[in-house]
Amino acid sequence: MAYQHKLAEKLTVLCDRGRGVLVRMNHIKKTCADPKAKPSFLTDKAMEPAIKYINKKFPNIDFRGSTDHVYELLNTIDACQCFFNITINFDFTKNYLDLVVTYASVILMLSRIDEKKALVGMYNCAHEMSNGTSNPAYPRLGQMMADYEHPMKKLTEEFGPHTKAVTEALLSLQLVYPRRNLQAEQWRSAQLLSLLSTPATMLAPVSCDTMACEYLSLEVMERWIILGFMLCHSSLNTNQASQELWKMALRSGLYLTIIREETINIHKFSEEYFDGLKGYGKRVADIKECRENTIANCGAIHREKRLYLRNALKELCKVLEDEPRLLGPKALFVFMALSFSRDEVLWLVRHSENIPKTKTPEDYVDSQMAELLFHMERLQTLLHQHKAIIDRYHLLYLSQFDALVINDTVQSLYVCPEEESILMSSFVSDLSALNVKQLENGEEFDFRAIRLDWLRLQAYTSVAKATLSFKEYPDLAKIMNMTQFHTRVIDDMDGLLQETADLSILCFYPRVFEKMFFQGSEDVAMQRYLIAFPVLCSHFSRTAHPLCPEETEVSEKRSLKLCVTFLEEIAKQTSTVILEICAEQCNLNDQLLPKHCAETISKARNKKQKRPAPKKGEVQKEKPGTESHRKDRVIMTNMDKMHLTLSELCTTFTHYPDFTVYNHIILPTEFLFSQLEIRLTKIIVQMANYNQTTQEISRPSDLLAAVRAYTTSLQILNRYINVDVTRLIRSVLLQQTQPLDSRGGQTITTLYTNWYLESLLRQASSALILHCPTMHCFINQTTETEQSFRAEQFSDICEMRALAELLGPYGLKFLSENLMWHITSQVAELKKLVMENMDILMQMRSKFDKPEEMSALQKRLTGCENVLKRMTIIGVILSFRAMAQDSLEDVMKQHCPFLMRPIASLRDLVSPDNDIKVTLSVYELASAAGLQCSIDPTLVAAIASMRTDNSSKEEECKLASLLLIFIAVSLPILALDVNSFYSREHGGHQNNIHCLATAINHLSAAMFTTQNENIQQHLKEFLLVASSTLLQLGQNAEKVEVKNRDSIYLLLHLIVQGSPFLTQDMLESCFPYVLLRNAYREVYKTFIHTLG
């Protein structure tokens, strides 16, 4: 008879389906309660009248349809008078209680959905409109909703006939629940979960009469007891054992989970229900007493349990890491430890959101939860890592022990019907056939059929009139329950872990989860365990159920968000600590810089000269290195504390190099890399100390020293964690060579480019700062007003090399492009001036050898000073660029000499006389490496970009030629300027006109290259005209013009000296060398006289 009812199959299917319905209803409730996710038709004002009408006309007819599958199964079980005992027919009893509680939870969940009538009614309307007829299940569903308006009242009526079966199943927990609900002191005295307490039995396999009961969830049992006795409450008044079990469950906590984050306040819920029943006054008093007891003691009890479990799991992890082969005989210990820990974590999660009014609210807060979660994760990892050991051990156990004991037990049975005999014979034959070779050959094991047959056997032998009564053969139940555990360890490890260690419910408590994380992150001792929080997110996919696929997307987004939040916070804390260490090392390194040595030298000099010692009140400056002197090793410095914190935080990254969250592979170290990249980028920019208002900035050498101190200090990360620090540094510094970093922020390339253009070169254009060829730098002009900075401190060889080191070829290319923009703006203005004086310049070009006519034309010429000033500005800019290029060349030769030599050879091989495109491409390569070229490719590109479609090549060539004529005929005007004298000390003129030579050479080469003209020919013409005009200057007797005449003569020599297209012979052919020699003698005499 029992075979026909298929009780085992129905229990299995209905339990799973009931769970899915419960999950779906919870999702519907949350969707309707969330304003953002709520369906639009429920919020649309136009739909309000329709919803009200549907609610008003909601069906209220007496029609039930076919009997519900759950009722049918429960009635069948009652009719068969099934026997339930969790310690004997564990699976049968567990599935039965799960079905009862799941059904009650579904009804309770249904009562919490406010829009249930509107949703069902609107669905039926839509069905009727699309199909022309009402949904057949609509009347039955409508009646069900009406019946369960007061859910507990209707449920207790329905479960009245099932009181005996439910009570029997619940009372069987008396042998399990009290033993599982012990306090921490009892655990400690029994040395629970300790492998070291009894070394002699360490290798002995763990076995007991109730294997599956040992890791059965405490929360599940409490849910069975609380809801089960509420549905069948009559036994509470008639059975003392029921009362004791019920009270024990009531004292265990305040809240009980229905599904996900949906909970009930068990005392309030029970009291409200029993208040409405006659004869239950004592039960109400019991509830109040239990609530007071729970509030007073429960928090401290569970706090002590968590404390014990932290230490027990830590010991278990250490022992199993050292001896993983113990996972075979002691696998049950691992699942027990996980189950106990999971119960305590979930208890705290349930109560953290609803802390009662108590004197010790700190009992409901655990800042050390990270350690417990970590050890739980670690145990699960060990089970997966050493699965082969576990499988081998239990495979041998099944074939060489379990199969033999089952066979002996079956042989000892007095009566064994045919169906039961077939099942038990299959157990023995299947298990006996197992061997290690199957495992070595990689064969996949599947024992689900054996477990389902075992459930069938429990159902067959648990009915009242069974020929083979299960209660009479407890030994068979013991060995089969143990065998079932052994099979699950082999082929259903994930299922066991989901039962014992699943914390995916934390996905639905994001606020509590984050609170636990941030509390742990504040404790240095817990920081090494913080990785447990993001790793936990990888288990949240276990919450998915096929009946509610819509929930998966929400769960995935939340899981990834929480995981990223945790990893970013860990990375932020780690990067903060490492960068604080770097900052401290940078400060110590700064004390050793040469700029701080003056004070030390002064003290040594005073001591040698026996100067009086400083006064007593004067604070003596500590020497660098005093911070390393230790008077007591016990005293921890701030640096020691930071290194300790860093080691703890880095340890958390080493536990799990990668893990998967919803098909997303997570690499924790990449989060650290990203945070370090962001923060280091900001710090480097901050260390530049750029102030746009005051135009202040750090010297490049100081910034370079700071950057080097940071990059050196960052290498200590390699001591703690396997992260590519070199890649980090390369990425950050390479971004600083671009105008904007990867996040669109300004870089030091942009800051220094702006500063050199706006501060140094702007003042140099006004001759407030002088270009000093002798010292290869810019220097301040002596003026009455004090300048904000000293130019040589930002432009000498050391500073320019530091700038080249920081900005690199890319950064200097950006700087050059900005310099070229300023040059092209000046060239545009020069072209306008040439066009204004074009006719006069054409005449002067043809009559440069006729002094009288040239003098007359000179007077008609306008804008001569403007031309010279703009050319001087261009020369200053190009001189600065040449300094930057020379520094880049030095840096490149230092870093990659093997690359520079081939580039230099390639540059020397090409010539402007060959294919100009090839030449320019080679020059562009050489220029990017810092090598000087006869034609500046960057300037050529800038000049070429100025050309418009309207302008012809001949016109552009004409303008360029006349510009050189304009400059040549304007040179004598420079003699009128009192600052035009040549300084031997500086190697240039006091008004920067020596930069004209650089401007003329580079600009002419670039302009005539774009027009494909002969550069040398045009420069010769310029030299002829300039020589002629300057020779006329020598015949002028006016003292004002004669005063700086010699300094102006030297310009011709500087032009020829700096040009690759002109030679001294060309100069001497049009300008006597004796004049240059005399000019040099005169300016040097002036220099000597000034010094004298």
Side-chain angles (χ1 to χ4, degrees):
M1 186 70 178
Y3 314 138
Q4 299 173 0
H5 294 309
K6 296 188 180 296
L7 300 180
E9 291 84 345
K10 290 179 180 179
L11 277 173
T12 303
V13 172
L14 288 176
C15 281
D16 180 67
R17 190 163 184 82
R19 174 78 180 177
V21 171
L22 194 55
V23 168
R24 187 158 191 81
M25 291 179 67
N26 174 256
H27 180 69
I28 292 171
K29 177 183 179 293
K30 287 189 292 187
T31 302
C32 293
D34 186 359
K36 295 180 180 178
K38 195 170 186 178
S40 57
F41 58 81
L42 290 177
T43 57
D44 191 355
K45 291 186 178 180
M47 294 294 291
E48 286 182 4
I51 295 172
K52 288 180 180 178
Y53 179 80
I54 289 171
N55 286 329
K56 186 178 180 181
K57 296 294 182 180
F58 197 77
N60 190 15
I61 56 178
D62 190 12
F63 178 77
R64 294 288 294 177
S66 60
T67 307
D68 186 88
H69 294 297
V70 175
Y71 291 146
E72 181 184 351
L73 181 57
L74 293 175
N75 290 332
T76 303
I77 289 173
D78 277 348
C80 293
Q81 298 180 6
C82 290
F83 156 74
F84 294 106
N85 190 321
I86 197 76
T87 62
I88 297 177
N89 53 358
F90 174 83
D91 299 292
F92 191 55
T93 304
K94 179 180 181 296
N95 283 329
Y96 176 73
L97 289 173
D98 278 341
L99 181 65
V100 171
V101 170
T102 301
Y103 180 75
S105 300
V106 167
I107 300 303
L108 291 173
M109 197 70 229
L110 181 64
S111 67
R112 295 188 175 194
I113 302 175
D114 298 329
E115 293 86 356
K116 55 182 176 292
K117 290 183 179 179
L119 290 171
V120 173
M122 294 179 78
Y123 170 76
N124 185 62
C125 290
H127 187 279
E128 190 171 350
M129 291 172 67
S130 59
N131 298 302
T133 179
S134 177
N135 191 312
Y138 177 59
R140 181 169 61 90
L141 188 57
Q143 183 61 38
M144 177 182 162
M145 288 185 178
D147 289 344
Y148 287 101
E149 194 69 33
H150 302 287
M152 284 309 301
K153 182 180 179 182
K154 183 65 177 175
L155 281 170
T156 51
E157 290 176 6
E158 291 177 345
F159 275 89
H162 312 306
T163 299
K164 181 182 176 182
V166 174
T167 303
E168 182 185 15
L170 291 174
L171 288 178
S172 69
L173 294 172
Q174 282 181 302
L175 302 172
V176 179
Y177 181 66
R179 180 158 46 88
R180 283 281 282 104
N181 200 21
L182 298 176
Q183 295 189 12
E185 292 79 8
Q186 295 165 300
W187 284 354
R188 197 170 282 110
S189 61
Q191 292 288 295
L192 184 70
L193 303 176
S194 175
L195 298 179
L196 303 177
S197 59
T198 53
T201 61
M202 187 175 287
L203 296 178
V206 180
S207 62
C208 62
D209 295 346
T210 54
M211 288 286 273
C213 295
E214 300 305 315
Y215 56 83
L216 181 60
S217 171
L218 195 66
E219 182 193 13
V220 169
M221 288 190 279
E222 288 168 356
R223 191 183 299 116
W224 289 345
I225 294 169
I226 298 295
L227 292 179
F229 280 126
M230 284 192 71
L231 296 174
C232 306
H233 51 77
S234 59
S235 65
L236 293 175
N237 282 344
T238 58
N239 193 320
Q240 184 65 29
S242 299
Q243 284 186 31
E244 294 301 323
L245 192 62
W246 178 63
K247 287 181 183 178
M248 190 182 295
L250 286 176
R251 294 191 192 101
S252 64
L254 297 167
Y255 292 90
L256 198 65
T257 300
I258 297 178
I259 184 68
R260 304 288 193 247
E261 72 275 29
E262 288 294 325
T263 59
I264 55 172
N265 186 324
I266 54 178
H267 301 95
K268 182 181 178 182
F269 186 70
S270 303
E271 186 178 347
E272 287 176 353
Y273 177 65
F274 286 134
D275 261 343
L277 299 177
K278 291 183 179 180
Y280 284 83
K282 290 184 178 180
R283 303 291 77 78
V284 174
D286 290 339
I287 293 169
K288 291 180 179 178
E289 180 190 346
C290 290
R291 179 174 61 227
E292 291 173 1
N293 181 279
T294 301
I295 293 173
N297 303 316
C298 205
I301 290 172
H302 285 276
R303 184 194 66 217
E304 290 300 316
K305 281 187 173 184
R306 292 192 301 273
L307 176 60
Y308 177 83
L309 286 170
R310 271 196 296 273
N311 295 323
L313 262 68
K314 185 176 182 179
E315 177 190 307
L316 195 60
C317 284
K318 295 295 182 185
V319 172
L320 293 177
E321 284 173 358
D322 189 50
E323 290 293 339
R325 290 183 180 85
L326 289 175
L327 283 167
K330 303 299 181 183
L332 181 62
F333 267 22
V334 177
F335 291 109
M336 287 171 62
L338 291 172
S339 181
F340 293 177
S341 303
R342 175 180 181 267
D343 286 333
E344 293 309 313
V345 172
L346 294 186
W347 186 93
L348 184 64
V349 169
R350 289 198 303 276
H351 292 78
S352 292
E353 289 265 277
N354 305 282
I355 299 176
K357 293 181 180 178
T358 176
K359 294 180 181 178
T360 56
E362 63 273 8
D363 291 340
Y364 296 86
V365 177
D366 193 347
S367 61
Q368 297 180 321
M369 182 58 74
E371 184 176 2
L372 184 59
L373 294 177
F374 173 79
H375 291 314
M376 289 181 69
E377 283 296 325
R378 188 64 191 144
L379 285 175
Q380 294 180 69
T381 303
L382 288 171
L383 287 172
H384 287 296
Q385 281 180 348
H386 305 290
K387 184 72 165 54
I389 295 174
I390 299 170
D391 288 352
R392 185 184 182 89
Y393 180 88
H394 286 92
L395 194 71
L396 292 171
Y397 208 115
L398 284 169
S399 61
Q400 299 179 14
F401 179 83
D402 291 341
L404 299 177
V405 176
I406 293 172
N407 186 47
D408 293 343
T409 306
V410 171
Q411 296 298 327
S412 65
L413 296 177
Y414 296 110
V415 180
C416 188
E418 183 182 357
E419 187 70 25
E420 285 86 337
S421 177
I422 292 171
L423 289 175
M424 287 188 280
S425 298
S426 69
F427 294 158
V428 175
S429 60
D430 290 347
L431 296 177
S432 300
L434 298 173
N435 59 74
V436 178
K437 287 185 178 180
Q438 293 174 286
L439 193 66
E440 293 173 349
N441 294 333
E443 185 177 329
E444 292 290 331
F445 295 97
D446 188 354
F447 298 112
R448 286 179 296 178
I450 293 178
R451 289 194 291 273
L452 184 55
D453 284 343
W454 169 228
L455 179 57
R456 289 191 182 104
L457 184 61
Q458 293 178 55
Y460 298 161
T461 57
S462 296
V463 297
K465 296 180 181 180
T467 308
L468 176 64
S469 181
F470 210 46
K471 67 176 76 173
E472 297 177 4
Y473 299 98
D475 290 339
L476 178 61
K478 173 185 173 182
I479 185 59
M480 284 306 301
N481 283 330
M482 184 166 66
T483 301
Q484 188 206 35
F485 172 74
H486 293 159
T487 60
R488 292 194 68 187
V489 170
I490 295 175
D491 75 329
D492 192 30
M493 179 72 78
D494 290 337
L496 275 173
L497 290 176
Q498 188 160 0
E499 285 183 23
T500 58
D502 180 30
L503 293 173
S504 55
I505 196 173
L506 287 168
C507 179
F508 304 97
Y509 287 93
R511 187 168 61 179
V512 176
F513 199 26
E514 289 180 356
K515 185 179 178 182
M516 287 179 177
F517 171 79
F518 286 108
Q519 287 170 347
S521 65
E522 294 171 1
D523 187 349
V524 177
M526 292 296 107
Q527 287 173 342
R528 63 169 50 218
Y529 305 118
L530 291 178
I531 195 65
F533 289 92
V535 172
L536 257 177
C537 298
S538 65
H539 304 320
F540 289 171
S541 57
R542 296 174 181 174
T543 61
H545 197 282
L547 285 182
C548 188
E550 298 88 350
E551 191 183 49
T552 304
E553 184 180 354
V554 178
S555 177
E556 180 178 357
K557 289 181 180 178
R558 187 177 295 168
S559 302
L560 289 170
K561 181 182 177 183
L562 286 169
C563 181
V564 170
T565 300
F566 296 147
L567 287 173
E568 283 185 346
E569 185 59 32
I570 297 171
K572 285 178 183 177
Q573 290 190 20
T574 309
S575 59
T576 299
V577 175
I578 182 64
L579 291 176
E580 283 179 359
I581 293 173
C582 290
E584 185 65 26
Q585 292 292 344
C586 183
N587 292 335
L588 296 175
N589 182 73
D590 183 74
Q591 295 175 16
L592 298 175
L593 292 180
K595 63 182 181 180
H596 296 296
C597 67
E599 188 174 348
T600 305
I601 294 172
S602 177
K603 286 182 180 179
R605 186 168 178 270
N606 291 339
K607 187 176 181 180
K608 189 175 182 180
Q609 294 181 357
K610 298 181 180 180
R611 297 275 180 92
K615 298 177 181 178
K616 291 182 179 180
E618 188 176 342
V619 180
Q620 292 290 325
K621 187 177 179 181
E622 291 185 346
K623 291 183 178 180
T626 54
E627 71 282 345
S628 299
H629 297 166
R630 297 275 185 155
K631 294 182 180 179
D632 189 349
R633 295 177 66 88
V634 178
I635 299 173
M636 288 185 67
T637 64
N638 187 46
M639 186 67 83
D640 295 334
K641 293 176 182 177
M642 286 194 290
H643 274 280
L644 176 62
T645 305
L646 179 63
S647 66
E648 293 294 311
L649 286 167
C650 286
T651 302
T652 199
F653 285 102
T654 61
H655 294 304
Y656 293 92
D658 60 84
F659 55 91
T660 304
V661 179
Y662 276 100
N663 298 323
H664 295 265
I665 298 175
I666 307 296
L667 301 171
T669 51
E670 288 302 311
F671 286 83
L672 177 60
F673 188 95
S674 177
Q675 285 297 324
L676 283 172
E677 182 181 330
I678 293 169
R679 295 197 174 197
L680 189 58
T681 300
K682 290 181 180 178
I683 286 172
I684 290 175
V685 173
Q686 288 170 1
M687 287 193 300
N689 295 322
Y690 179 63
N691 188 324
Q692 193 171 4
T693 306
T694 60
Q695 286 296 313
E696 294 177 352
I697 200 168
S698 296
R699 294 169 63 180
S701 59
D702 291 346
L703 179 58
L704 180 61
V707 169
R708 281 176 172 167
Y710 264 83
T711 54
T712 303
S713 302
L714 277 172
Q715 297 294 338
I716 64 172
L717 262 180
N718 288 324
R719 303 177 193 170
Y720 304 108
I721 186 174
N722 185 21
V723 63
D724 192 349
V725 178
T726 305
R727 179 167 71 97
L728 167 69
I729 295 169
R730 192 187 304 119
S731 173
V732 171
L733 295 182
L734 192 59
Q735 287 183 48
Q736 292 303 311
T737 65
Q738 305 298 316
L740 298 175
D741 61 27
S742 59
R743 287 165 180 80
Q746 284 191 330
T747 61
I748 57 174
T749 294
T750 304
L751 299 182
Y752 276 106
T753 297
N754 292 340
W755 187 86
Y756 276 103
L757 284 170
E758 299 299 325
S759 294
L760 192 142
L761 293 179
R762 186 178 292 275
Q763 294 188 46
S765 301
S766 305
L768 295 174
I769 290 176
L770 304 180
H771 175 244
C772 181
T774 304
M775 295 188 289
H776 296 279
C777 68
F778 285 85
I779 59 173
N780 291 75
Q781 181 79 276
T782 305
T783 57
E784 296 179 358
T785 58
E786 186 178 353
Q787 292 180 330
S788 58
F789 66 93
R790 294 180 63 185
E792 60 269 24
Q793 292 185 348
F794 291 87
S795 60
D796 64 14
I797 294 175
C798 292
E799 298 301 327
M800 293 306 292
R801 284 180 180 171
L803 184 68
E805 190 86 44
L806 289 168
L807 271 55
Y810 287 114
L812 288 181
K813 183 181 179 183
F814 176 76
L815 174 62
S816 297
E817 289 171 355
N818 279 267
L819 295 174
M820 293 306 143
W821 182 86
H822 286 269
I823 290 173
T824 53
S825 63
Q826 297 295 335
V827 171
E829 296 299 320
L830 287 170
K831 285 184 177 181
K832 291 179 183 178
L833 291 170
V834 171
M835 293 178 72
E836 290 175 4
N837 297 276
M838 186 173 289
D839 294 338
I840 301 171
L841 291 172
M842 288 290 290
Q843 295 179 48
M844 296 181 84
R845 183 181 187 182
S846 59
K847 301 177 180 179
F848 69 90
D849 54 345
K850 299 177 180 179
E852 295 81 6
E853 294 185 23
M854 284 290 288
S855 178
L857 291 170
Q858 182 77 37
K859 293 176 182 178
R860 292 170 55 193
L861 202 62
T862 58
C864 294
E865 292 181 357
N866 200 351
V867 168
L868 293 172
K869 185 171 181 60
R870 292 187 184 279
M871 283 299 292
T872 304
I873 292 172
I874 293 173
V876 168
I877 294 173
L878 289 173
S879 298
F880 174 77
R881 183 169 183 271
M883 291 164 52
Q885 289 290 101
D886 290 340
S887 301
L888 178 60
E889 182 182 1
D890 294 339
V891 170
M892 292 292 287
K893 284 180 177 178
Q894 182 182 357
H895 286 294
C896 46
F898 53 86
L899 186 64
M900 292 296 288
R901 292 191 188 99
I903 294 175
S905 299
L906 193 60
R907 177 202 61 179
D908 296 339
L909 281 173
V910 298
S911 169
D913 299 331
N914 301 330
D915 187 350
I916 193 63
K917 290 184 179 180
V918 175
T919 302
L920 286 176
S921 61
V922 173
Y923 281 176
E924 187 175 359
L925 171 64
S927 180
L931 298 175
Q932 297 288 353
C933 303
S934 57
I935 301 173
D936 191 337
T938 309
L939 186 57
V940 170
I943 297 296
S945 65
M946 295 177 63
R947 187 171 177 178
T948 60
D949 297 335
N950 299 329
S951 60
S952 63
K953 178 184 175 182
E954 293 76 13
E955 186 179 350
E956 290 293 327
C957 182
K958 183 179 179 182
L959 286 173
S961 303
L962 292 178
L963 176 59
L964 287 180
I965 300 299
F966 205 161
I967 297 166
V969 299
S970 302
L971 288 177
I973 300 174
L974 294 172
L976 298 174
D977 189 349
V978 294
N979 292 320
S980 291
F981 69 91
Y982 181 88
S983 170
R984 176 191 171 190
E985 180 187 6
H986 299 149
H989 300 75
Q990 291 298 100
N991 55 358
N992 285 330
I993 59 171
H994 58 278
C995 295
L996 280 170
T998 305
I1000 291 166
N1001 285 324
H1002 283 76
L1003 191 59
S1004 60
M1007 292 177 76
F1008 292 118
T1009 299
T1010 57
Q1011 295 144 23
N1012 205 15
E1013 292 286 325
N1014 190 306
I1015 302 168
Q1016 189 179 55
Q1017 182 180 346
H1018 288 280
L1019 282 175
K1020 279 183 179 180
E1021 182 184 17
F1022 164 79
L1023 207 57
L1024 285 170
V1025 177
S1027 302
S1028 176
T1029 54
L1030 289 178
L1031 288 172
Q1032 292 297 323
L1033 183 66
Q1035 297 176 3
N1036 199 327
E1038 293 185 16
K1039 292 183 179 179
V1040 178
E1041 292 184 1
V1042 172
K1043 184 177 181 181
N1044 293 320
R1045 180 183 61 192
D1046 295 321
S1047 297
I1048 305 305
Y1049 284 166
L1050 298 183
L1051 278 176
L1052 284 179
H1053 183 253
L1054 293 175
I1055 292 169
V1056 174
Q1057 193 177 33
S1059 174
F1061 305 100
L1062 297 174
T1063 62
Q1064 289 294 334
D1065 294 338
M1066 294 178 186
L1067 176 61
E1068 195 166 355
S1069 65
C1070 56
F1071 192 87
Y1073 181 73
V1074 66
L1075 291 179
L1076 289 175
R1077 186 180 59 198
N1078 291 337
Y1080 271 112
R1081 187 177 65 247
E1082 290 299 322
V1083 296
Y1084 275 47
K1085 279 183 181 179
T1086 307
F1087 174 73
I1088 295 168
H1089 178 72
T1090 305
L1091 287 181

